[in-house]
């Protein structure tokens, strides 16, 4: 398809959110230019969980079939007490789960997900991909948006979508609510061949060992050949206002309370890099004229519901549907999109904080939590309907 002369929608950021939006808009016949700060479009080399709420969107975008050979479907989500190593409860992810939520829960390597969206974008003549184009500033004049990039290059479009992540400069101009909130939680990751895993008791499941101020997640990727390991700590030093928080030695210190076989899993975790967790208070407006936000730029969340990228993908689908409905009135499209996304994404942000505190509980709170978890029915995922049943998106 020729790119034609229709004016472009500009998207700042080519992560999972920005590329999903580009693809969804292209499928509605819009010309799009994705301005990505990095020299190459890409993702980090670790896993990501995807709830059944995003399956139909990825399917409709033609992305799911591209990554299907690499997707893993865990048979259960197991919660185990990191202090004793004992299983506390599980959610079966097989037949009854799929029947309830229509679609499966799956895990995938981030590069397989992002790469599949990127590949689909590259095949669309409506999409121009522009690496090394970090948005520095923008201005609006009537129905035009003008973006200036860090290297001085300029782009003109009919609208701008800021999908430029946690530290979004687009958000700074649209919302202006300063830096995101530093949660004091730190993540270390590691990917190892599955054959190196010593404790093989939950190989087919996704398991989360939970303890005071910590948890460790394991699930397999790429046809089960590699194990994704993620260790998170809620820094005690940070909470006390002490220096050197979230460091590898604090990781060791906090995990020292765990059962030896759980503590031993730190051997799979790299100390070379950590991820510093942030979120934001939900806001009531992230749109200004023909400029809006999407994904982490709009509603960054802690990862405890494993839904940040899922929300970005949902955002993309809703936004494209609203653009298709409102024609060239981008402000109306963006306000309608925002209206649909605000409470759902706020609920994810606030529920993720709560779930983090729940799994990181210690003392009496831990005893209560364990008792409540033990009573759960593995075939009745508690309070997940609002999230996993997904959203209605018009064709
Ligand atoms: C430890 C951890 C585990 C997680 N697990 C899950 C999970 O299991 N499931 C899930 O759904 N979510 C998960 N998430 C959340 C998920 O990773 C994010 O919500 C998601 O990646 C956000 O996508 P995005 O496209 O909005 O932002 P990003 O992925 O941050 O992409 C932003 C893009 O914008 C680019 N950019 C930045 N500045 C500029 C600029 N000035 N101009 C142009 N481009 C710019 C960046 O280079 C990047 O490519 C997890 C997060 C963490 C930290």
């Amino acid at each position: 398809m020729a790119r034609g002369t229709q004016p472009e929608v500009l998207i700042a950021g080519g992560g999972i959110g920005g590329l999903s939006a580009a693809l969804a808009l292209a499928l509605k016949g819009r010309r799009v230019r994705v301005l990505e700060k990095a020299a190459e479009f890409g993702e980090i080399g670790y896993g990501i969980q995807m709830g059944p709420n995003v399956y139909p969107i990825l399917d409709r975008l033609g992305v799911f079939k591209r990554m299907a050979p690499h997707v893993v479907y865990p048979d259960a989500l197991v919660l185990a007490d990191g202090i004793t190593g004992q299983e506390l409860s599980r959610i079966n992810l097989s037949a009854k789960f799929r029947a309830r939520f229509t679609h499966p829960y799956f895990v995938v390597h981030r590069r397989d997900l992002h790469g599949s969206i990127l590949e689909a974008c590259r095949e669309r003549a409506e999409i121009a991909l522009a690496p090394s184009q970090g948005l520095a500033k923008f201005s609006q004049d009537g129905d035009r948006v003008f973006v200036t990039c860090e290297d001085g290059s300029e782009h003109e479009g009919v609208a701008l979508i800021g999908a430029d992540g946690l530290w979004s400069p687009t958000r700074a101009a649209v919302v202006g609510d300063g830096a995101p909130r530093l949660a004091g939680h730190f993540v270390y990751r590691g990917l190892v061949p599955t054959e190196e895993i010593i404790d093989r008791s939950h190989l087919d499941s996704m398991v989360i060992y939970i303890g005071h101020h910590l948890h460790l997640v394991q699930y397999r990727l790429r046809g089960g050949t590699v194990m994704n390991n993620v260790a998170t700590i809620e820094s005690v030093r940070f909470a006390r206002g002490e220096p050197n928080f979230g460091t590898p030695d604090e990781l060791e210190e906090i995990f020292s309370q765990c059962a030896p076989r759980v503590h031993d899993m730190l051997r799979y975790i790299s100390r070379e890099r950590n991820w510093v967790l942030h979120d934001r208070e939900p806001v009531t407006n992230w749109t200004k004229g023909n400029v809006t936000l999407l994904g982490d730029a709009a509603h960054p969340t802690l990862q405890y519901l494993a839904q940040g990228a899922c929300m970005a993908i949902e955002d993309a689908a809703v936004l494209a549907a609203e653009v298709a409905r409102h024609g060239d009135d981008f402000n109306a499209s963006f306000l309608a999109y925002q209206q649909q996304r605000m409470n759902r994404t706020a609920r994810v942000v606030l529920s993720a904080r709560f779930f983090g505190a729940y799994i990181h509980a210690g003392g009496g709170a831990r005893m209560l939590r364990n008792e409540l978890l033990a009573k759960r029915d593995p075939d009745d995922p508690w309070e997940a309907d609002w999230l996993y049943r997904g959203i209605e998106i018009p064709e």
Side-chain angles (χ1 to χ4, degrees):
M1 198 185 305
R3 267 180 64 73
T5 53
Q6 188 195 60
E8 290 177 329
V9 174
L10 304 176
I11 298 179
I16 292 166
L19 289 187
S20 298
L23 189 55
L25 285 166
L27 289 170
K28 301 283 184 196
R30 287 280 162 187
R31 289 178 69 225
V32 186
R33 179 169 298 265
V34 185
L35 309 171
E36 165 57 47
K37 184 182 173 92
E40 283 181 25
F41 286 78
E43 250 291 355
I44 54 167
Y46 295 102
I48 193 160
Q49 305 172 43
M50 297 268 100
N53 49 312
V54 290
Y55 177 95
I57 302 173
L58 292 172
D59 191 35
R60 216 195 278 183
L61 290 176
V63 168
F64 193 83
K65 64 174 190 279
R66 293 171 193 268
M67 65 183 186
H70 310 297
V71 162
V72 171
Y73 303 94
D75 65 358
L77 166 54
V78 174
L79 281 174
D81 190 318
I83 315 303
T84 63
Q86 300 297 313
E87 181 172 325
L88 294 167
S89 80
R90 60 172 55 217
I91 297 173
N92 291 331
L93 298 175
S94 304
K96 285 190 179 159
F97 183 93
R98 289 190 192 198
R100 182 169 186 152
F101 300 114
T102 317
H103 305 292
Y105 199 105
F106 63 94
V107 292
V108 63
H109 195 292
R110 281 172 180 262
R111 288 188 182 147
D112 296 335
L113 170 63
H114 184 271
S116 298
I117 311 173
L118 183 61
E119 189 182 274
C121 285
R122 287 198 204 284
E123 288 174 10
R124 303 293 313 191
E126 301 93 333
I127 302 175
L129 298 169
S132 304
Q133 292 293 286
L135 176 146
K137 60 181 182 179
F138 65 85
S139 61
Q140 301 192 61
D141 186 6
D143 61 358
R144 286 288 183 271
V145 182
F146 304 91
V147 170
T148 306
C149 289
E150 289 157 355
D151 66 356
S153 53
E154 294 179 338
H155 303 270
E156 179 182 334
V158 277
L160 169 66
I161 299 162
D164 41 0
L166 183 64
W167 299 96
S168 163
T170 314
R171 182 186 181 105
V174 171
V175 184
D177 56 351
R181 185 187 72 100
L182 176 59
H185 301 196
F186 300 83
V187 176
Y188 289 81
R189 290 168 151 126
L191 208 63
V192 295
T194 304
E195 65 215 29
E196 287 180 19
I197 300 294
I198 297 167
D199 183 335
R200 304 176 79 82
S201 47
H202 295 295
L203 224 46
D204 293 328
S205 308
M206 190 164 48
V207 58
I208 311 181
Y209 295 94
I210 57 182
H212 197 198
H213 297 135
L214 70 87
H215 75 275
L216 187 144
V217 185
Q218 278 190 322
Y219 56 83
R220 290 190 297 157
L221 297 171
R222 292 195 158 153
T225 56
V226 286
M227 183 65 88
N228 188 61
N229 305 275
V230 186
T232 300
I233 55 166
E234 193 175 324
S235 169
V236 177
R237 295 181 195 166
F238 174 82
R240 289 193 194 126
E242 294 170 11
N244 300 323
F245 48 79
T247 53
D249 63 306
E250 193 180 16
L251 174 77
E252 285 290 347
E253 209 171 283
I254 292 183
F255 268 80
S256 65
Q257 63 183 291
C258 289
R261 76 178 181 84
V262 178
H263 180 261
D264 191 49
M265 290 170 188
L266 287 185
R267 69 167 68 216
Y268 310 125
I269 300 285
S270 164
R271 313 298 200 268
E272 272 173 27
R273 183 184 165 185
N274 71 19
W275 283 263
V276 181
L277 299 187
H278 295 79
D279 67 4
R280 285 186 185 272
E281 293 307 322
V283 292
T284 55
N285 183 30
W286 63 63
T287 297
K288 201 180 206 174
N290 286 6
V291 182
T292 196
L293 306 175
L294 179 146
D296 276 8
H299 39 69
T301 178
L302 302 181
Q303 87 276 28
Y304 301 123
L305 291 192
Q307 280 283 331
C310 295
M311 287 300 114
I313 294 166
E314 283 190 0
D315 283 353
V318 173
L319 185 139
E322 289 304 330
V323 167
R325 197 156 72 89
H326 291 272
D328 289 334
D329 189 345
F330 284 95
N331 182 245
S333 310
F334 289 172
L335 290 174
Y337 143 76
Q338 172 182 288
Q339 182 64 28
Q340 287 179 59
R341 301 302 297 152
M342 196 172 294
N343 284 355
R344 182 166 170 82
T345 54
R347 190 167 178 183
V348 166
V349 171
L350 301 177
S351 304
R353 282 185 195 166
F354 171 79
F355 194 62
Y358 186 73
I359 61 174
H360 292 170
R366 167 177 163 247
M367 301 309 282
L368 169 63
R369 179 202 64 204
N370 288 1
E371 185 191 312
L372 295 175
L373 283 175
K375 289 180 182 156
R376 264 180 20 186
D377 176 351
D379 287 317
D380 187 11
W382 84 119
E383 293 181 13
D385 284 359
W386 69 272
L387 185 57
Y388 292 161
R389 286 218 160 118
I391 51 172
E392 286 292 325
I393 300 162
E395 285 288 341

